[in-house]
Every structure is written in structure tokens, then in C-alpha cells.
Amino acid sequence: MTTRYFGKPIKRNEDPRLLTGQALFVDDVHLPDMLHVAFVRSDLAHARIRRIDTAAARERPGVVAVYTAEDLGDYWRPGPLLVPPPPVKDIVFHQRTQVPLAKDKVRHAGEAVAMVVAESRYIAEDAAEEIFVEYEPLPGVVDLEEALQPDAPRVHEDLESNLAAHVIQEKGSYATAREQADVVISRRFVYDRGTAAAMENRGIVAHWDFKSQHLTVWDTTQAPIPIRNGLAAMLGLSEHQVRVIAPFIGGGFGPKIMMFYPEEMLLPWVSMQLKRPVKWIEDREENFYATTQERGQIHQAEMALTQDGRILGVKDVFLHDTGAYDPYGLTVPINSQCTLLGCYDVPNYYSEFRVVFTNKPIVTPYRGAGRQHGVFVMERLLDLAARELGLDRAEIRRRNFIPPDKFPYNNQIIYQDFAPLVYDSGNYEPALDKALELIDYQRFIQEEQPRLRAEGRKVGLGIVTYVEGTGIGPYEGARVTVEASGKVSVATGIGTQGQGHFTSFAQLVAEQLGVDVGDIFLVTGDTDQFYWGAGTFASRGAVVAGNAIHAGAQAVRRKILKMASEELEVAEEDLELVDGTVRVKGVPDSAIKLGELAVKANPLRGAVKPDAEPGLEATAYFGPERGATASGVHAMILEIDPETMLVEIQKYVVVHDCGKVINPLILEGQIQGGVAQGIGNAFYEQLFFSENGTLLNASFMDYLLPTATDVPAIISDHLETPSPLNPLGVKGAGEAGAIPVGPLFAQAVEDALDIPGLEIREIPLSPNRLFELIRGERTEREADHG
Amino acid sequence: MKPAPFQYFAPTTLDQALDLLERYNYDAKPLAGGQSLVPAMNFRLARPGVLVDLNRVPDLAFVRPGSDGGLRIGAMTRQRQVERDPLVAERAPLIHETMPHIAHPQIRNRGTFGGSLAHADPAAELPAVLTALQGRFRLESKRGQRWLGADEFFVDFFTTALEPDELLVEIAVPPLPARTGWSFQEVARRHGDFAMAGLATLVTLDEQGRVQEARLVYLSVGDGPVTARQAAQVLQGQEPTEEAIQEAAEVAARQDVDPVSDIHASADYRRHLVKVLARRTLRVAVQRAKENGQG
């Protein structure tokens, strides 16, 4: 079959709608009689609630209802555990999930204490201000290391300590490897907190239609189907009484896969109580507290190597900050643990982590989802080892790559999907070579850098590699239908937050059915359109939903061929699907429009053959055996103003391998966006908490996202090592851009500054922090607050 | 992030606006471009009971030549207009050079010249620049009008000499003396951010090429515009050599400023930037002063 759609840089189907304001977002939903919700949130990170006085708020004109935890009655319960702990031996896990409204005690600043429902958001906020909460402040648990001290205050007083989990995974024997090593590099690494800061904050509209006994919920979720199932269970409804719609969403990045947020539990319930539609749109300030965050870890790691730079083993012991609750289980630290190994053949590995409760907003996956930290530790260890051994930094990586003939490669530990961490395929050396060529490595280090250094300029290069576990199960499904118009509709259960699903998925169908991409209408994220599914996370949309759609389209293709072969009285092998028709190969006059065939397949009179299904439609599912492992190399050149410590990125190269590429244009956008977020994490974005746990920079004035002038144009190239785990041979690409930027930045900054003994072992950096590091004022960052 | 309730008035004459300010006094807040006030209201950090919107009051937005060779700028003139005005570029090149550093074009399209001065954010550019230029401020109220110099106008952190019934209506910028050079530079995390430190510098040379007068006014390192008097003293009467500049920069950092730490910049880092900015702006200003020998 000739390929005409798969792999083509087709412009996005959804962009005209998005760019002309014809795309529905949650806040665009306006319903008659709709009420508006505002929350009273705790100013304190850790405090006992003595008393809540709602009398004044209830009396304010326009206020319809006020709720505290007490007012929720039996509906008050902690949220579900979204991901149970993986089957690792001797695992310790203490489940403490978020509650809809705080009762007795608040555990992080911004935790909701009361809810006001009013005729407008203005009135709701005025009333929220009138609710008086009497707190007894408690000492905050902020610092990760202090949190585990025996005398530390406890976030959950029913637990013996702030330990949320303890996991050890091992491959081989690190102790033996260490004994055999010529060199052991041992260091402490810190990776601090940030927030995803999606362009669209969260939002929910819930509408309980009392007469039809039906609940409709518009939600900025990445996982509408699990939300539907959970809501039905919580509210005592049939799943068929609940419709959850995740319309267009302005960025997900992981925090919108978290469930159930307190607001998600409360809004549908309130709509049922009041029999009126209710709306809550998170404002930007709330987003800094009420939406989950990521990234706080402290690692003590070491690498044992031979004299010629071969890794004998790695040991990593780290603390992971889960915030006040742990509803997402261990996904983030498991990702750190598993992604650390990277592209390298590491024969012995000891990894141990402790998850710590703190009085900070909840931590759940955010683009990269723990992978950053692992990559940071590994890549930094390799840089330090290269320095110690006098090896070139590209060369030490090359020497340790898993060779292409060793795939599938078993890392002998358990991944976030509970399956063994086995890399399906990979070919790392060509990617490194390509990146070295694109960054012009030899010329830079041999000519350019010495010349510029002689002029007193501080220019440096970084080059790092990484893997990304993507496309994990359990499954997704899709229904593909040829309509009477000849256009094709496709429904799948996952949500979409800007990834270009309306185009890339359409290409998969176009490829099979020979229909123009523009004639394929895709529905995602509406539980009434497709019943089954899990959600958009872990860079799995293209892999899992994509392959389900591919399978569905293939099934429809088979139906078309079978029917047309009967109509035209020719063998199926002699037919082709072209331009929305099916025809005898090379005989355009024989063409039947797919729409005509669809009508024939669904006749109003006459008989459909026994056992035949009506219509040109098929539903298919796909569940991979395990995740597909993508990989890549990033390289950059930056210059530092040695007086101000401002950094300018001069060149940025990405060589990426995510298997077969469905749409290079969309992939380019994913990478560019990921790198922008990575640059933000590395040099601009940092959440600052006071010693009591309150957030000091909950606005875009002080939480600095990189802007267009801070993010360079990216030079990229793609290699295609297909995944054997799915028919399309694709791997995920959603997080790749963001993952390796921290160690890349650190390496390039070290290289630029060229100060003997200066090591960058923390992220994020800033001009101020570089100034401090150079002065040697604080070589060790205090655990959590820089 | 919705503002607390407030009353809103949109007067169409200056007299009506002044009436409203007189009537509501401390409860009232004039609304110019709203680029600082409205976010502060949405965070409920500012909660004026009455907003007096100046956007319909005519004749408050203008750039005119002053009879002294300087400039007269109406308080409601949009920052973007000041940025693009050829008369500003010609007669007040320091202002012209500064304008692109103020936030982003979208904000400058709405933000007003007078609004930024009356807001008196210690991290804002214009208060420092107008202090360096020794601008004069015309304040009007029902009680009459008065002129204040920049040193009198800027009082403290977000505080000016404006009485609650007074409105800043016009700013007069004196002409630059002959052999005067200027430079504005700041160090910000991202372009358009409030700077971690910034500096407006003017240097006037005498006929022998020695420094007749130097003015260095910092932003973001104190409670308002911070004039580096001792650094200026170091330069006074000196040849503006690299050594003299270096010494002035050291003195500025050591003696003229007492910065505080915040999440973006420690006091030490700010002090360091004070020195760097002094060096960099003095070099540029001296060079320009030499080029402007003809006056």
C-alpha cells in the first residue's frame, strides 16, 4: 500500500477552530440558572481548624449555599488512590489521599476549607472573604530531610512519621561492583519544585438535570472516562447517568490526570444538592496551590567505574517530596528510579527511595514525571566521572551505551506500569553522532571555545542523552465509522490538551481508508461518544489510542473491501481505496464512493445478511504488553555574562528517536514545547516556600516562565527505531523535550564558567544562584528552599 | 481573583475628576492605564471604594516642547506613545532609551507615563529616570495646583507627595545641558520583568572634559529611586577615566545603596549588580557626553 498520510507533516485540523475562537473550553459553557463557586483556602500550611464561622457569608445577598466539611455529611471521604503501589518486594506504602474539604486540620497552604455557591463568582468571592476560620498554627514540615527526623512535626498524626513510602529495587550487586571499581564518584544532587502552569487553569461545570436524572460534567481532565466511573460510584448513579466531557483544554502536562481533585468531587454533588448547574474556574492564584506540582527530590548517588570509563554500577538513595497527600501512589519516584539508567548498560544498580509527606501542595506527575531527576543524576555522574578520568564527555557516554543487538534489554527492575523495565528497541550511538554533528562539537571545543575564551567570553556546551518510557497500558479503544456523506467519524475515550490528536489520529484513519485528513471528524474526551478508556498520560496517546484507531480503521477497511468485492464482483486484492472511493485498481470508472457503500451497509429496507453488522463501522482496542522506550540526545551552546550571570542560549539541538513518526510537524511542536518547559525548569521556574510552608511566589510576576525571547529556535532531527510492541511501530514523544534539559544546562554552565572545582549539582539555577555558587558562599543548597 | 466591590465613575472633564477626588478623598483611587492597579485589585491587595477613571478626561495625554528647550508630558500619555515620540527621542533621549525596558508592548499600550510615576513602585523605571532628569511634577486639586521636584514627589515605598484629592496632570522634563551623556540599563530575569537592579545615569562634562556633574539613580535597590550621591561625588571634577569609573562603581555599591534580599536576588547579588550597572552606564554616558560636545 502506498503511504500518503502516515508520516506526512500535515497541518493541524484543529488549528483553524482554535485560532478563530470556535473551540469550546470549559469556561465557555454557560447554562441557564448556573451558579458559581468559590473556595475558602487555608493561608497556613499546617494548622488545626478550631472553628469555622460561615454566618455572615450565608447572609450575603446572592449567596445560595455555603459548605464546610461538616455540611458534606456522608459524602465527605478521602479521595481514591489512583495508582496503587507496584509489586516490589518489602515495599512500604502509607495511603493518605486528599479530602474534599479540610476537616480538623489543614495540611498545605491553599487546601480548601469551605465552599461558597452564589449567583456570581464576584459574590462568591465576597462571601468567601467573610468566612472566618479560626486556626491553631502548627509547625510546618517543609524540609525533606528534617521531615524524617524523629522529632519532626507530623503531617498525618496517625502515622509514626512523615514517611509515606520506602522502596528498594536492585539489579545485580552494587556492593560487588564497587569493590571492583577503579573510580567511585559520589555526590549529592538536589532537584527543586516547579509547577506545570498550563495556559488554561482547571475548571468544572456540573449540571444535574433533575427531570432526566442525568449528570453532565465538563471537566479539564486528561481522563474523562475514569472521572465518569468514579463520579458514578461516589454519587450512587449508574455510569449511564453520567456524561463527562473533556472539551478543548489549554494544556494538561500531567496535573490534569490527577483525580479526584476536591473540586471534582464537590461540584457534581453540589449540582445534585441544589438542582442547578454550577461552575468553578480555578484562577491563577489558586492554580499555584490547588493544582498538583512536581519535582522535589534529594539524591545521594554514586557511580562505580573502570579506569576506561565503563560503568560497573550505580547506587542512588533519594528522598521524594509527595506533598501533603499521595493519591498518585509512587509513579513519580518509580519513574526517577527507572529512568536514571538511561541509555546505558548498567550491570549493577541499587536504588532506594523514601517518599516524604510535607506541608506543601500535592505532588503528582508533571511532564517528565520524575524522569528528569533520574536523568539529572545519571548524566551529572557521567560528567563528573569523565572529568575525573580525563575522558571526553561524549566518549564516556558512547562507551556505555546499550549496543543495538542487546534489545530487548531487561533492566531487571519494575516500571511504573508494574511490568519489568524492558527496553523494546533502541539505537543510541547514531543519535549521539548526529547531535555531535549538528552542534558542531569538535569545531566548538577545538576552535570556537578557545577563541572566545581568549576574548574573555564565557561560552559552554552541553550534551546529554536520555530515555523516556512511554506508551504504557492498560488499553485504549476507538470506533471508526464511515458516514453516509462519505466522511469518517472517529471516537476515542482519551482527552486532548493540544497534542494535535485531531490530525495525527485522522492521519492513521486516512492511511487505511484513503479519505482526506480534513474529512475525518474526531471526537475525543466525551464519555457518551466512547465508553471505554483510561486517559492521556505517560506519552501514551499516539501509542495506545493511536494503535486502537489504526486497528479500528483496518477493520473498517476490511468491511469496505468485502462489500465492494461483492458489489464489483472482483477479488479484494484487486481493489484499492482512493480519494474517498473504493475501486478496481487502475480503473477509476469502477469507483464506488464510500458514502454510497455506507448507505448500502445500513439499508432501510431489505435484509442485512445473517451475522452481518450494519454500517461501515468498527470498534477496536489496543493494549501494549508494556511501554515503548523512546530516547534522544540534546545539545546546546550557551553564553553567560560573567558580570550579571544572565544566560543566553545560542544553539539548541535535539536528536530524537520515538520510533515511526506519524506527523513530523506535530512532533516538532511537542519537542519545541517540551524544551521550553525544560528550560523553564532549569533556569527560570522555582517555587519558593517559607519555613512554615506557605508559597512565596504564587503569581506569574514572581514565578518565571520562559518567554519567547528566552527559548531558542531548535534544530532537530529524528531517527526512527520502530517499536516492536505495536503495529504502527510508534513510541511516545510528549515528554521527551522536557526531560534532559536540567543536566544539559548544568553541564553547559559548568563548561562556560570553566572554574576549577565548580560543580552544578542542583536544579533550578538562576543568575542569583550562579553568583552564589561562584562565590562559594553556599556550595550546598539547603535541602528544599534555595 | 475578582476585585472587592467598588463604585466606578468616568468623569469627562478634569474638573469633574477633581470634584470626585475631593468628595471621596481617601476612598477614591484614580484609574489611569490600570496595569498595576487592576491586578492589585483582583488580588484584593488594593481595595479602593471608588474608582475615578481618567480615560475619558480630555487633554491629559500629550507630548509638547517646553519653552526651556525641555519637554512637557501629559500624565495620561500612554507609555507606548512616549516610546515612539520623536520629540522625546530628541529632547529626552534617556526617557526614549528607557521606555522599551518597561514591561511589554501590550502593557505599554495601556500603561500611562503619569500612572507609573504616581504608583511609585521602587522597581519601576520611570521614577528613577525622572529623578535623574530632575523632572518636575504638576499636581492639581480643587484647592489649586502646585509643582514639585522629583525629590519631593517620591516619598517612600509606593508613596508620593500626592494628597488624596490631588491628581498628577503633567510632568516637565528640563533640557539636557551641553556635553551631557546618558545611559539606562537594567538587569532583569526576563525581558519585561521588574528588574533586579537598574540604573539611570547622566554625566555632564565641563569644557576640559572633566565631570561637571554626574547623576546616578537606581531602581529596585531601595524603597524608591536611590540616588548614588557619594559615587557622583567621586566623579565630580575628575577625568572620567576607567579608574575613576571603577572607583565610583565601588563607592556606589559600598556606600550608596542598602539593598534587601528577595526570592530573585540576594542583597549581595544586588549590591554586585549596582557596581556592574554603574560601570556599564558610566562608560556609555561618558562616551555620549564626549560625542555631545557641541551641546
Side-chain angles (χ1 to χ4, degrees):
Chain A
M1 183 175 57
T2 51
T3 293
R4 289 167 305 172
Y5 298 103
F6 189 102
K8 293 282 185 295
I10 292 169
K11 280 192 187 167
R12 304 200 327 164
N13 269 347
E14 52 267 64
D15 285 350
R17 288 183 65 191
L18 287 165
L19 295 173
T20 56
Q22 299 176 76
L24 183 89
F25 290 82
V26 171
D27 200 15
D28 294 324
V29 176
H30 301 286
L31 301 172
D33 290 330
M34 190 163 73
L35 295 168
H36 298 264
V37 171
F39 289 90
V40 177
R41 298 183 183 280
S42 172
D43 296 326
L44 302 172
H46 198 195
R48 230 174 286 289
I49 299 171
R50 286 270 178 244
R51 187 170 65 89
I52 306 175
D53 182 353
T54 59
R58 287 179 203 271
E59 280 165 25
R60 177 173 277 272
V63 170
V64 175
V66 175
Y67 299 92
T68 65
E70 297 303 325
D71 301 316
L72 302 181
D74 291 346
Y75 190 67
W76 189 95
R77 79 201 78 165
L81 178 67
L82 191 55
V83 185
V88 173
K89 191 168 149 290
D90 295 333
I91 194 167
V92 173
F93 180 72
H94 298 297
Q95 173 181 340
R96 291 295 180 278
T97 55
Q98 71 290 351
V99 296
L101 292 170
K103 189 186 269 188
D104 306 330
K105 174 169 150 161
V106 290
R107 294 185 173 84
H108 67 84
E111 187 165 14
V113 175
M115 169 173 56
V116 180
V117 189
E119 297 291 344
S120 80
R121 176 71 177 246
Y122 288 86
I123 296 170
E125 290 194 18
D126 291 343
E129 228 178 22
E130 291 170 333
I131 291 174
F132 174 72
V133 185
E134 188 187 324
Y135 294 108
E136 177 196 336
L138 298 169
V141 180
V142 180
D143 182 285
L144 275 184
E145 286 160 324
E146 285 171 19
L148 291 181
Q149 297 299 315
D151 57 345
R154 274 170 291 157
V155 179
H156 298 279
E157 282 153 28
D158 58 325
L159 292 175
E160 283 172 16
S161 74
N162 291 311
L163 183 76
H166 182 209
V167 176
I168 297 172
Q169 293 215 67
E170 264 189 290
K171 171 190 185 182
S173 164
Y174 176 76
T176 311
R178 195 183 201 283
E179 281 165 21
Q180 295 161 354
D182 298 319
V183 155
V184 175
I185 306 290
S186 179
R187 295 289 192 283
R188 182 176 190 266
F189 300 94
V190 178
Y191 212 115
D192 207 354
R193 258 189 198 228
T195 183
M199 192 183 293
E200 186 192 9
N201 293 323
R202 290 185 300 120
I204 300 158
V205 174
H207 179 208
W208 171 247
D209 186 331
F210 176 68
K211 283 202 170 167
S212 67
Q213 292 283 295
H214 188 270
L215 176 70
T216 308
V217 177
W218 289 263
D219 186 356
T220 51
T221 180
Q222 294 171 227
I225 290 170
I227 292 280
R228 186 240 359 240
N229 298 348
L231 280 179
M234 281 188 254
L235 296 166
L237 299 171
S238 156
E239 287 172 9
H240 290 276
Q241 285 175 285
V242 183
R243 178 185 185 188
V244 174
I245 300 166
F248 278 98
I249 293 173
F253 308 121
K256 288 175 183 158
I257 190 80
M258 154 70 188
M259 66 185 75
F260 280 76
Y261 278 105
E263 302 87 0
E264 274 170 334
M265 294 189 244
L266 291 169
L267 270 274
W269 180 82
V270 167
S271 181
M272 291 181 75
Q273 295 290 309
L274 301 177
K275 301 184 178 63
R276 286 176 70 176
V278 290
K279 176 190 264 189
W280 169 74
I281 300 296
E282 182 183 58
D283 66 35
R284 183 56 67 184
E285 192 181 15
E286 288 182 291
N287 183 267
F288 277 98
Y289 298 100
T291 288
T292 55
Q293 306 173 348
E294 214 214 81
R295 307 271 196 267
Q297 289 184 358
I298 301 172
H299 290 249
Q300 184 66 48
E302 57 181 68
M303 178 180 275
L305 304 100
T306 63
Q307 198 60 46
D308 60 355
R310 272 175 220 286
I311 301 169
L312 296 175
V314 173
K315 179 183 178 186
D316 180 33
V317 179
F318 68 96
L319 298 177
H320 170 76
D321 177 2
T322 190
Y325 303 97
D326 57 1
Y328 218 95
L330 299 176
T331 300
V332 175
I334 292 273
N335 275 347
S336 307
Q337 183 168 61
C338 289
T339 309
L340 182 141
L341 293 166
C343 305
Y344 311 110
D345 192 359
V346 179
N348 302 285
Y349 183 41
Y350 176 89
S351 174
E352 173 177 4
F353 66 78
R354 286 180 177 78
V355 177
V356 183
F357 287 119
T358 59
N359 291 121
K360 285 184 273 183
I362 304 168
V363 168
T364 69
Y366 153 40
R367 201 176 200 170
R371 298 178 182 89
Q372 273 91 339
H373 316 63
V375 173
F376 185 69
V377 171
M378 187 68 168
E379 294 297 311
R380 292 274 63 204
L381 283 172
L382 281 167
D383 290 337
L384 294 163
R387 198 191 276 189
E388 176 93 15
L389 294 167
L391 281 173
D392 176 81
R393 55 195 142 164
E395 182 56 27
I396 196 169
R397 289 171 167 82
R398 190 189 302 277
R399 285 186 192 175
N400 287 290
F401 279 153
I402 300 164
D405 59 2
K406 269 201 163 181
F407 291 91
Y409 180 86
N410 191 345
N411 283 292
Q412 300 171 35
I413 54 175
I414 300 291
Y415 191 46
Q416 60 152 313
D417 58 354
F418 300 178
L421 180 65
V422 178
Y423 295 169
D424 53 335
S425 64
N427 191 8
Y428 304 137
E429 204 169 356
L432 178 66
D433 287 335
K434 189 77 202 171
L436 290 169
E437 178 195 322
L438 289 173
I439 202 83
D440 212 353
Y441 184 73
Q442 290 303 335
R443 201 175 70 85
F444 180 81
I445 59 171
Q446 283 166 13
E447 300 168 30
E448 196 85 340
Q449 193 177 36
R451 181 175 66 76
L452 292 167
R453 274 186 181 161
E455 293 171 17
R457 291 172 63 184
K458 304 284 186 191
V459 286
L461 183 147
I463 184 159
V464 297
T465 80
Y466 61 100
V467 296
E468 184 198 354
T470 76
I472 58 173
Y475 77 95
E476 289 298 337
R479 186 181 62 247
V480 178
T481 311
V482 179
E483 297 185 5
S485 62
K487 296 190 178 186
V488 180
S489 65
V490 181
T492 177
I494 67 167
T496 190
Q497 306 89 42
Q499 295 90 340
H501 291 155
F502 296 87
T503 312
S504 53
F505 289 164
Q507 284 175 256
L508 300 175
V509 174
E511 181 75 12
Q512 292 301 320
L513 304 186
V515 175
D516 190 80
V517 166
D519 285 335
I520 294 167
F521 182 75
L522 192 94
V523 180
T524 70
D526 180 345
T527 61
D528 269 14
Q529 294 283 326
F530 199 80
Y531 195 86
W532 300 98
T536 308
F537 57 93
S539 300
R540 69 192 288 278
V543 180
V544 189
N547 275 287
I549 288 165
H550 173 67
Q554 280 184 318
V556 171
R557 179 186 174 86
R558 285 193 294 274
K559 285 189 178 183
I560 291 168
L561 290 174
K562 183 163 185 290
M563 231 183 126
S565 123
E566 287 164 11
E567 288 284 327
L568 295 170
E569 296 179 347
V570 293
E572 289 182 26
E573 305 82 69
D574 295 328
L575 293 171
E576 61 182 357
L577 273 68
V578 181
D579 296 337
T581 69
V582 54
R583 68 186 191 194
V584 180
K585 279 178 188 165
V587 189
D589 285 352
S590 67
I592 307 176
K593 288 180 179 160
L594 294 187
E596 283 174 33
L597 213 55
V599 172
K600 283 186 181 164
N602 183 26
L604 287 173
R605 294 288 184 274
V608 171
K609 285 181 190 165
D611 300 330
E613 294 168 4
L616 293 180
E617 179 175 289
T619 299
Y621 297 89
F622 179 76
E625 173 190 339
R626 55 175 189 270
T629 304
S631 63
V633 182
H634 287 209
M636 73 146 102
I637 293 171
L638 55 70
E639 177 163 8
I640 303 178
D641 179 327
E643 289 191 322
T644 63
M645 297 297 142
L646 296 183
V647 169
E648 188 186 291
I649 300 171
Q650 295 181 334
K651 193 172 180 185
Y652 201 111
V653 167
V654 176
V655 180
H656 186 240
D657 186 344
C658 58
K660 301 292 279 181
V661 175
I662 301 171
N663 183 328
L665 200 61
I666 287 175
L667 177 59
E668 209 67 35
Q670 278 280 22
I671 299 291
Q672 178 87 37
V675 168
Q677 246 164 348
I679 289 171
N681 288 169
F683 199 67
Y684 294 93
E685 302 176 41
Q686 184 167 10
L687 293 168
F688 293 91
F689 292 89
S690 74
E691 60 183 19
N692 290 321
T694 50
L695 183 56
L696 301 175
N697 58 332
S699 86
F700 281 160
M701 191 169 87
D702 286 320
Y703 185 82
L704 309 180
L705 295 167
T707 66
T709 55
D710 308 307
V711 178
I714 288 160
I715 301 161
S716 68
D717 198 8
H718 299 280
L719 303 177
E720 292 194 357
T721 309
S723 173
L725 297 177
N726 64 75
L728 292 172
V730 297
K731 301 177 177 183
E735 297 163 273
I739 290 172
V741 190
L744 181 72
F745 226 94
Q747 190 195 101
V749 164
E750 265 179 21
D751 190 33
L753 292 172
D754 192 30
I755 297 170
L758 179 75
E759 294 178 359
I760 308 281
R761 290 182 275 114
E762 61 188 50
I763 288 292
L765 301 167
S766 67
N768 183 62
R769 187 62 190 144
L770 290 179
F771 175 78
E772 287 173 346
L773 285 169
I774 287 170
R775 292 220 163 168
E777 283 170 353
R778 288 191 299 167
T779 48
E780 206 66 12
R781 183 195 294 236
E782 280 90 346
D784 228 6
H785 33 97
Chain B
M1 288 177 72
K2 304 291 184 201
F6 59 88
Q7 268 187 289
Y8 172 85
F9 293 97
T12 53
T13 66
L14 180 59
D15 209 43
Q16 286 172 3
L18 296 176
D19 270 338
L20 288 162
L21 291 180
E22 184 186 45
R23 189 178 340 149
Y24 292 102
N25 216 276
Y26 283 101
D27 279 346
K29 192 86 186 163
L31 173 68
Q35 300 302 293
S36 298
L37 178 58
V38 172
M41 287 172 68
N42 284 341
F43 275 108
R44 298 196 176 208
L45 296 171
R47 15 194 355 147
V50 174
L51 270 193
V52 179
D53 185 346
L54 303 177
N55 286 279
R56 288 172 184 77
V57 177
D59 304 327
L60 290 179
F62 56 83
V63 176
R64 291 180 197 138
S67 53
D68 58 355
L71 274 180
R72 309 292 283 263
I73 301 177
M76 282 294 287
T77 313
R78 305 292 163 185
Q79 290 160 0
R80 189 71 162 162
Q81 190 190 332
V82 175
E83 177 183 351
R84 292 176 160 184
D85 193 294
L87 197 63
V88 174
E90 182 197 323
R91 295 197 172 192
L94 178 63
I95 295 178
H96 179 73
E97 180 163 282
T98 303
M99 297 312 291
H101 292 280
I102 302 172
H104 307 280
Q106 294 89 332
I107 290 174
R108 297 199 292 277
N109 280 336
R110 289 299 300 167
T112 65
F113 195 75
S116 173
L117 294 164
H119 187 55
D121 188 327
E125 291 83 358
L126 289 177
V129 167
L130 270 291
T131 302
L133 288 168
Q134 296 183 305
R136 292 181 59 74
F137 299 70
R138 183 158 71 88
L139 280 45
E140 273 210 44
S141 70
K142 295 300 281 184
R143 296 176 285 120
Q145 72 161 35
R146 56 178 179 147
W147 284 90
L148 293 181
D151 287 340
E152 304 159 287
F153 182 77
F154 297 110
V155 174
D156 205 345
F157 193 70
F158 292 105
T159 308
T160 67
L162 279 161
E163 295 294 333
D165 64 341
E166 272 182 320
L167 204 58
L168 171 63
V169 290
E170 184 183 4
I171 298 94
V173 183
L176 292 180
R179 296 179 301 278
T180 296
W182 67 91
S183 177
F184 180 87
Q185 294 188 37
E186 63 178 31
V187 180
R189 291 296 315 271
R190 304 167 302 183
H191 182 82
D193 280 340
F194 282 116
M196 297 182 286
L199 176 57
T201 293
L202 288 168
V203 175
T204 303
L205 302 178
D206 64 18
E207 286 180 359
Q208 286 71 45
R210 288 184 300 251
V211 176
Q212 183 176 313
E213 189 180 10
R215 279 203 293 274
L216 295 85
V217 185
Y218 286 94
L219 55 109
S220 254
V221 297
D223 291 338
V226 175
T227 302
R229 295 182 206 285
Q230 305 193 62
Q233 201 68 47
V234 167
L235 291 166
Q236 186 90 41
Q238 301 296 312
E239 290 272 342
T241 59
E242 185 59 29
E243 292 69 35
I245 287 173
Q246 183 66 35
E247 197 198 334
E250 297 282 351
V251 167
R254 221 172 33 237
Q255 296 174 27
D256 282 317
V257 298
D258 187 15
V260 295
S261 296
D262 64 24
I263 59 171
H264 299 303
S266 66
D268 281 351
Y269 177 54
R270 280 213 159 84
R271 205 180 280 282
H272 168 77
L273 293 178
V274 160
K275 186 166 61 183
V276 171
L277 286 167
R279 277 200 304 259
R280 289 184 177 185
T281 58
L282 281 168
R283 283 180 199 138
V284 173
V286 164
Q287 185 58 37
R288 283 174 173 164
K290 287 177 180 165
E291 287 162 11
N292 287 351
Q294 311 314 315

